[in-house]
Amino acid sequence: MYETIEYVVANNVCTILLNRPDSLNAFTANMNRELQQAIKQAEKDSNVRCIVIKGAGKGFCSGQDLSTVDKSMDHGEVLTTLYGPMVKQIYNCEKPIIAGVHGAAAGAGFSLALACDFRIMAEKSFFLNAFVHVGLIPDSGNLFFLKQLVGNAKALEISVLGERILPNEALALGLATKVVANETFDEEVALFAEKVANLPTKAISLMKRTLRAADELSFEEFLAYEAQGQRIAGLTKDHREGVQAFTEKRKPIFVGD
């Protein structure tokens, strides 16, 4: 079904593998489109309660495939037609998305990781806002997400200097959720994903929706929005299960409804 990615669902987790290892999983137009379609497919699948994006081979994603860039390319058009729709699909997805990062996450590959809800980094991995090295600005939502995570001053520093951010620094900055050993990377990502997949999925989607709304609403409007979200969450099977499990002093078994 896909040419540049692999799509697998197991244990309520959809794993999307960027599969152009010879180019460190650099983006082509086809991979942009296929990743967007894969996220859309996973969001519609009721068996999927968590999504993982990883890279095949030695790295996560090295950004745009520069072999496809020429003097006639309209970079704005590329963003509007390819990267923008892809990153919007990720941003608007109501299911939790995890970036499993090993090796390089550079340029638009860094942007892809930033767009995810969680970033698990292998010890021998790094982030790199590489755009400055080719005379461009960070794109694919990069500065939008980076500003939210580290603030204006640090986001500008990371973008202007264009230096590698190693896992421990990323963890300290809040760019990484967790740093794991290279040898156990795949296992650790899978365990984290299964943990998230077993949480109350509807509540997580409402949390994501409410956080997005917070940027656009006044405090009074936000409180009303929050109340509506809690009303919806309070009617779910998972809420009833959580209360019952608490009363019975046992671990809840959430089903995602």
Side-chain angles (χ1 to χ4, degrees):
M1 182 176 178
Y2 294 109
E3 295 178 356
T4 64
I5 66 173
E6 292 182 5
Y7 182 100
V8 177
V9 176
N11 300 321
N12 297 121
V13 176
C14 170
T15 300
I16 300 169
L17 187 71
L18 308 179
N19 195 24
R20 300 188 68 237
D22 292 343
S23 63
L24 290 178
N25 303 309
F27 276 113
T28 60
N30 194 32
M31 195 162 89
N32 283 121
R33 296 188 191 98
E34 289 194 338
L35 181 54
Q36 180 187 355
Q37 180 57 40
I39 297 293
K40 188 182 297 186
Q41 180 181 344
E43 186 163 26
K44 290 180 180 178
D45 188 345
S46 60
N47 291 318
V48 173
R49 294 170 62 185
C50 180
I51 301 167
V52 174
I53 301 175
K54 295 168 64 179
K58 296 181 179 180
F60 177 70
C61 177
S62 59
Q64 171 68 29
D65 188 337
L66 295 181
S67 69
T68 66
V69 175
D70 58 41
K71 292 180 180 179
S72 65
M73 176 178 282
D74 182 337
H75 291 79
E77 181 67 15
V78 171
L79 291 178
T80 301
T81 59
L82 295 173
Y83 285 95
M86 178 193 73
V87 79
K88 279 193 285 187
Q89 190 71 49
I90 294 169
Y91 177 68
N92 290 322
C93 181
E94 296 200 344
K95 294 181 179 179
I97 304 180
I98 301 163
V101 179
H102 74 291
F110 183 30
S111 304
L112 172 59
L114 290 173
C116 296
D117 302 305
F118 306 95
R119 286 157 292 280
I120 309 297
M121 295 184 74
E123 287 178 331
K124 294 182 179 180
S125 65
F126 63 90
F127 293 138
L128 177 64
N129 236 4
F131 299 92
V132 70
H133 300 302
V134 289
L136 294 175
I137 68 169
D139 62 30
S140 309
N142 185 293
L143 291 176
F144 178 87
F145 299 116
L146 196 56
K147 174 183 175 178
Q148 289 183 333
L149 290 165
V150 301
N152 275 358
K154 195 66 180 180
L156 186 62
E157 177 188 321
I158 288 168
S159 303
V160 170
L161 298 182
E163 297 172 346
R164 290 187 179 191
I165 304 171
L166 300 180
N168 286 338
E169 182 184 1
L171 191 63
L173 289 171
L175 294 174
T177 308
K178 189 176 182 181
V179 177
V180 301
N182 278 46
E183 297 77 14
T184 59
F185 172 73
D186 289 326
E187 179 184 353
E188 291 277 3
V189 172
L191 287 172
F192 186 87
E194 288 178 22
K195 176 181 178 179
V196 173
N198 286 317
L199 294 173
T201 312
K202 185 63 177 179
I204 294 173
S205 74
L206 290 166
M207 290 177 200
K208 292 183 66 171
R209 196 184 300 175
T210 304
L211 280 166
R212 289 197 296 268
D215 293 329
E216 303 170 2
L217 302 176
S218 69
F219 183 58
E220 289 75 15
E221 290 169 333
F222 176 81
L223 290 176
Y225 192 97
E226 173 189 77
Q228 177 60 18
Q230 196 72 299
R231 181 175 293 112
I232 295 169
L235 295 173
T236 62
K237 293 178 183 177
D238 281 344
H239 170 60
R240 293 196 295 272
E241 165 62 11
V243 172
Q244 186 173 346
F246 179 81
T247 302
E248 297 173 357
K249 296 181 171 57
R250 61 173 174 81
K251 186 177 180 180
I253 302 172
F254 298 119
V255 295
D257 296 324

